[in-house]
PDB file of all heavy atoms in Angstrom:
ATOM      1  N   ALA M  33      30.716 -92.201  62.205  1.00 94.00           N
ATOM      2  CA  ALA M  33      30.997 -92.886  60.955  1.00 94.00           C
ATOM      3  C   ALA M  33      30.623 -92.042  59.775  1.00 94.00           C
ATOM      4  O   ALA M  33      29.867 -91.147  59.835  1.00 94.00           O
ATOM      5  CB  ALA M  33      30.289 -94.239  60.857  1.00 94.00           C
ATOM      6  N   THR M  34      31.139 -92.456  58.555  1.00 96.00           N
ATOM      7  CA  THR M  34      30.674 -92.065  57.293  1.00 96.00           C
ATOM      8  C   THR M  34      29.802 -93.099  56.788  1.00 96.00           C
ATOM      9  O   THR M  34      30.363 -94.286  56.610  1.00 96.00           O
ATOM     10  CB  THR M  34      31.865 -91.710  56.391  1.00 96.00           C
ATOM     11  OG1 THR M  34      32.606 -90.662  56.934  1.00 96.00           O
ATOM     12  CG2 THR M  34      31.344 -91.280  55.034  1.00 96.00           C
ATOM     13  N   VAL M  35      28.619 -92.870  56.491  1.00 96.00           N
ATOM     14  CA  VAL M  35      27.643 -93.849  55.961  1.00 96.00           C
ATOM     15  C   VAL M  35      27.149 -93.378  54.652  1.00 96.00           C
ATOM     16  O   VAL M  35      26.555 -92.315  54.578  1.00 96.00           O
ATOM     17  CB  VAL M  35      26.487 -94.145  56.992  1.00 96.00           C
ATOM     18  CG1 VAL M  35      25.565 -95.212  56.386  1.00 96.00           C
ATOM     19  CG2 VAL M  35      27.032 -94.625  58.345  1.00 96.00           C
ATOM     20  N   LYS M  36      27.363 -94.235  53.597  1.00 96.00           N
ATOM     21  CA  LYS M  36      26.879 -93.947  52.291  1.00 96.00           C
ATOM     22  C   LYS M  36      25.640 -94.805  51.979  1.00 96.00           C
ATOM     23  O   LYS M  36      25.622 -95.985  52.334  1.00 96.00           O
ATOM     24  CB  LYS M  36      27.963 -94.062  51.183  1.00 96.00           C
ATOM     25  CG  LYS M  36      29.096 -93.080  51.360  1.00 96.00           C
ATOM     26  CD  LYS M  36      30.075 -93.355  50.182  1.00 96.00           C
ATOM     27  CE  LYS M  36      31.148 -92.240  50.337  1.00 96.00           C
ATOM     28  NZ  LYS M  36      32.069 -92.330  49.267  1.00 96.00           N
ATOM     29  N   ILE M  37      24.679 -94.172  51.300  1.00 94.00           N
ATOM     30  CA  ILE M  37      23.529 -94.966  50.878  1.00 94.00           C
ATOM     31  C   ILE M  37      23.298 -94.599  49.440  1.00 94.00           C
ATOM     32  O   ILE M  37      23.672 -93.490  48.941  1.00 94.00           O
ATOM     33  CB  ILE M  37      22.185 -94.673  51.707  1.00 94.00           C
ATOM     34  CG1 ILE M  37      21.915 -93.218  51.631  1.00 94.00           C
ATOM     35  CG2 ILE M  37      22.420 -95.117  53.144  1.00 94.00           C
ATOM     36  CD1 ILE M  37      20.543 -92.901  52.254  1.00 94.00           C
ATOM     37  N   GLU M  38      22.641 -95.547  48.696  1.00 82.00           N
ATOM     38  CA  GLU M  38      22.252 -95.167  47.382  1.00 82.00           C
ATOM     39  C   GLU M  38      20.746 -95.235  47.355  1.00 82.00           C
ATOM     40  O   GLU M  38      20.115 -96.265  47.683  1.00 82.00           O
ATOM     41  CB  GLU M  38      22.780 -96.254  46.442  1.00 82.00           C
ATOM     42  CG  GLU M  38      22.571 -95.981  44.947  1.00 82.00           C
ATOM     43  CD  GLU M  38      23.233 -96.866  43.972  1.00 82.00           C
ATOM     44  OE1 GLU M  38      24.337 -97.343  44.299  1.00 82.00           O
ATOM     45  OE2 GLU M  38      22.697 -97.156  42.959  1.00 82.00           O
ATOM     46  N   SER M  39      20.120 -94.100  47.012  1.00 74.00           N
ATOM     47  CA  SER M  39      18.683 -93.997  47.004  1.00 74.00           C
ATOM     48  C   SER M  39      18.114 -94.835  45.841  1.00 74.00           C
ATOM     49  O   SER M  39      18.811 -95.181  44.968  1.00 74.00           O
ATOM     50  CB  SER M  39      18.246 -92.577  46.888  1.00 74.00           C
ATOM     51  OG  SER M  39      18.482 -92.063  45.587  1.00 74.00           O
ATOM     52  N   GLN M  40      16.776 -95.039  45.951  1.00 72.00           N
ATOM     53  CA  GLN M  40      16.137 -95.665  44.852  1.00 72.00           C
ATOM     54  C   GLN M  40      16.247 -94.985  43.502  1.00 72.00           C
ATOM     55  O   GLN M  40      16.070 -95.581  42.440  1.00 72.00           O
ATOM     56  CB  GLN M  40      14.708 -95.998  45.207  1.00 72.00           C
ATOM     57  CG  GLN M  40      14.554 -96.935  46.359  1.00 72.00           C
ATOM     58  CD  GLN M  40      13.145 -97.205  46.782  1.00 72.00           C
ATOM     59  OE1 GLN M  40      12.265 -96.427  46.490  1.00 72.00           O
ATOM     60  NE2 GLN M  40      12.928 -98.323  47.546  1.00 72.00           N
ATOM     61  N   GLU M  41      16.443 -93.722  43.581  1.00 77.00           N
ATOM     62  CA  GLU M  41      16.563 -92.915  42.415  1.00 77.00           C
ATOM     63  C   GLU M  41      17.923 -92.968  41.810  1.00 77.00           C
ATOM     64  O   GLU M  41      18.328 -92.339  40.789  1.00 77.00           O
ATOM     65  CB  GLU M  41      16.252 -91.402  42.707  1.00 77.00           C
ATOM     66  CG  GLU M  41      14.806 -91.105  43.071  1.00 77.00           C
ATOM     67  CD  GLU M  41      14.561 -91.503  44.574  1.00 77.00           C
ATOM     68  OE1 GLU M  41      15.472 -91.418  45.361  1.00 77.00           O
ATOM     69  OE2 GLU M  41      13.428 -91.707  44.884  1.00 77.00           O
ATOM     70  N   GLY M  42      18.882 -93.611  42.504  1.00 80.00           N
ATOM     71  CA  GLY M  42      20.284 -93.790  42.016  1.00 80.00           C
ATOM     72  C   GLY M  42      21.258 -92.758  42.555  1.00 80.00           C
ATOM     73  O   GLY M  42      22.393 -92.711  42.222  1.00 80.00           O
ATOM     74  N   LEU M  43      20.764 -91.807  43.514  1.00 86.00           N
ATOM     75  CA  LEU M  43      21.564 -90.820  44.102  1.00 86.00           C
ATOM     76  C   LEU M  43      22.406 -91.470  45.234  1.00 86.00           C
ATOM     77  O   LEU M  43      21.910 -92.375  45.998  1.00 86.00           O
ATOM     78  CB  LEU M  43      20.754 -89.686  44.691  1.00 86.00           C
ATOM     79  CG  LEU M  43      19.901 -88.911  43.662  1.00 86.00           C
ATOM     80  CD1 LEU M  43      19.031 -87.951  44.499  1.00 86.00           C
ATOM     81  CD2 LEU M  43      20.787 -88.179  42.715  1.00 86.00           C
ATOM     82  N   ILE M  44      23.637 -91.079  45.332  1.00 91.00           N
ATOM     83  CA  ILE M  44      24.506 -91.510  46.497  1.00 91.00           C
ATOM     84  C   ILE M  44      24.467 -90.345  47.454  1.00 91.00           C
ATOM     85  O   ILE M  44      24.727 -89.226  47.223  1.00 91.00           O
ATOM     86  CB  ILE M  44      25.911 -91.794  46.008  1.00 91.00           C
ATOM     87  CG1 ILE M  44      25.872 -93.017  45.069  1.00 91.00           C
ATOM     88  CG2 ILE M  44      26.782 -92.115  47.260  1.00 91.00           C
ATOM     89  CD1 ILE M  44      27.256 -93.444  44.509  1.00 91.00           C
TER      90      ILE M  44
END
Side-chain angles (χ1 to χ4, degrees):
T34 299
V35 177
K36 291 185 180 184
I37 60 172
E38 186 172 326
S39 71
Q40 292 178 343
E41 296 81 23
L43 298 173
I44 295 176

